[in-house]
């Protein structure tokens, strides 16, 4: 059973860099069957996709965030990471990591529990 | 950016049936490969239904989907108080840029 767990600071200062890590257990992030992704949810609002990273290192980013986001893999630790540069209060959200199983539907089949990141001024 | 449209809220009494629509356009409905997610209060979203009514373990068959044109509908029958949650539809746009598109979410209230 695939499990994902987010970790990282819960408070980030405005204009600084938000850094989160997702630790995967139950499968290897080198698996060709998955994309590994990040989704966020501002308080009281809906879901916003941030980006995906594949085992090859290929990445897809939300166009609205692309200039500020970097996703990467650490295969030795079975982790993938998110960096979001130059954060503002609008980046305050619960950040989820998720696995996207590749196929026809490409469903997000497993999610982490989420971690709240607050951007302070 | 493509948009999927959901009603903000729906409600029904226990035991009844409720439907939640998810509408897009021909450019983003990609063969209607829409997936649905349930977010119970205070928890992470979880996969609810995908493919032709495939459900992960533990999801009852009271949850099902149907398709019509560029709209996909989530049906929930035999409503239970534990079904009270936010429901999101989503689709992976596998075109050149790659992009997940989510609906705005529908809050289900079980009266």
């Amino acid at each position: 059973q695939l499990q994902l767990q987010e970790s990282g600071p819960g408070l980030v200062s405005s204009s600084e860099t938000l850094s989160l890590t997702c630790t995967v257990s139950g499968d290897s992030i080198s698996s060709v069957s998955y994309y590994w992704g990040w989704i966020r949810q501002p308080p009281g609002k809906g879901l916003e996709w941030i980006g995906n990273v594949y085992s090859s290192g290929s990445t897809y980013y939300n166009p609205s965030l692309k200039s500020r986001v970097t996703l990467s893999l650490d295969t030795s630790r079975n982790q993938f990471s998110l960096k979001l540069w130059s954060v503002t209060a609008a980046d305050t959200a619960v950040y989820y990591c998720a696995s996207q199983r590749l196929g026809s539907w490409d469903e997000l089949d497993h999610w982490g529990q989420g971690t709240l990141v607050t951007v302070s001024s | 950016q493509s948009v999927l449209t959901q009603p903000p809220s729906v409600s029904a009494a226990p035991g009844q049936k409720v439907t939640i629509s998810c509408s897009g356009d021909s450019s983003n409905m990609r063969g209607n490969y829409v997936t649905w997610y349930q977010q119970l209060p205070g928890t992470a979203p979880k996969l609810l239904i995908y493919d032709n009514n495939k459900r992960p373990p533990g999801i009852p068959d009271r949850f099902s989907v149907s398709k019509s044109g560029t709209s996909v509908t989530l049906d929930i029958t035999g409503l239970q108080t534990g079904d009270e949650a936010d429901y999101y539809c989503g689709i992976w746009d596998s075109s050149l840029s790659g992009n997940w598109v989510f609906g705005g979410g529908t809050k289900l209230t079980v009266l």
Side-chain angles (χ1 to χ4, degrees), chain B residues 54-104:
Chain B
K54 287 186 178 176
R55 291 170 289 274
I59 303 298
D61 59 6
R62 299 187 295 104
F63 295 88
S64 64
V65 294
S66 58
K67 305 170 188 176
S68 177
T70 57
S71 180
V72 177
T73 299
L74 173 67
D75 296 320
I76 310 173
T77 59
L79 270 176
Q80 301 177 2
T81 55
D83 298 333
E84 195 160 282
D86 294 322
Y87 292 85
Y88 293 91
C89 61
I91 192 166
W92 169 247
D93 177 357
S94 58
S95 61
L96 183 62
S97 62
N99 193 26
W100 263 100
V101 177
F102 292 106

Side-chain angles (χ1 to χ4, degrees), chain A residues 39-43 50 91-96 113-117:
Chain A
I39 298 103
R40 69 181 183 179
Q41 185 173 35
I50 299 171
D91 296 310
T92 293
V94 176
Y95 286 75
Y96 298 101
Q113 66 183 26
T115 187
L116 174 63
V117 178

Side-chain angles (χ1 to χ4, degrees), chain A residues 41 49 60 100-101 106 108, chain B residues 37 39 50 97 99-100:
Chain A
Q41 185 173 35
W49 174 72
Y60 295 100
Q100 177 178 336
R101 189 167 66 178
D106 299 308
L108 295 165
Chain B
Y37 303 88
Q39 187 174 32
Y50 64 105
S97 62
N99 193 26
W100 263 100

Side-chain angles (χ1 to χ4, degrees), chain A residues 64-78:
Chain A
S64 68
L65 297 170
K66 186 174 183 177
S67 63
R68 299 194 292 129
V69 172
T70 299
L71 301 190
S72 60
L73 298 170
D74 184 341
T75 55
S76 66
R77 299 187 179 191
N78 219 40

Side-chain angles (χ1 to χ4, degrees), chain A residues 22-113:
Chain A
C22 183
T23 301
V24 178
S25 59
D27 203 343
S28 169
I29 62 168
S30 298
S31 168
V32 298
S33 299
Y34 287 98
Y35 286 145
W36 307 99
W38 291 94
I39 298 103
R40 69 181 183 179
Q41 185 173 35
K45 297 188 177 181
L47 302 174
E48 180 182 32
W49 174 72
I50 299 171
N52 284 358
V53 59
Y54 188 50
S55 56
S56 64
S58 298
T59 52
Y60 295 100
Y61 296 126
N62 185 325
S64 68
L65 297 170
K66 186 174 183 177
S67 63
R68 299 194 292 129
V69 172
T70 299
L71 301 190
S72 60
L73 298 170
D74 184 341
T75 55
S76 66
R77 299 187 179 191
N78 219 40
Q79 296 174 334
F80 62 102
S81 298
L82 162 71
K83 288 188 183 299
L84 181 65
W85 316 93
S86 303
V87 297
T88 69
D91 296 310
T92 293
V94 176
Y95 286 75
Y96 298 101
C97 59
S99 58
Q100 177 178 336
R101 189 167 66 178
L102 301 181
S104 296
W105 267 261
D106 299 308
E107 65 274 11
L108 295 165
D109 64 344
H110 293 88
W111 296 64
Q113 66 183 26

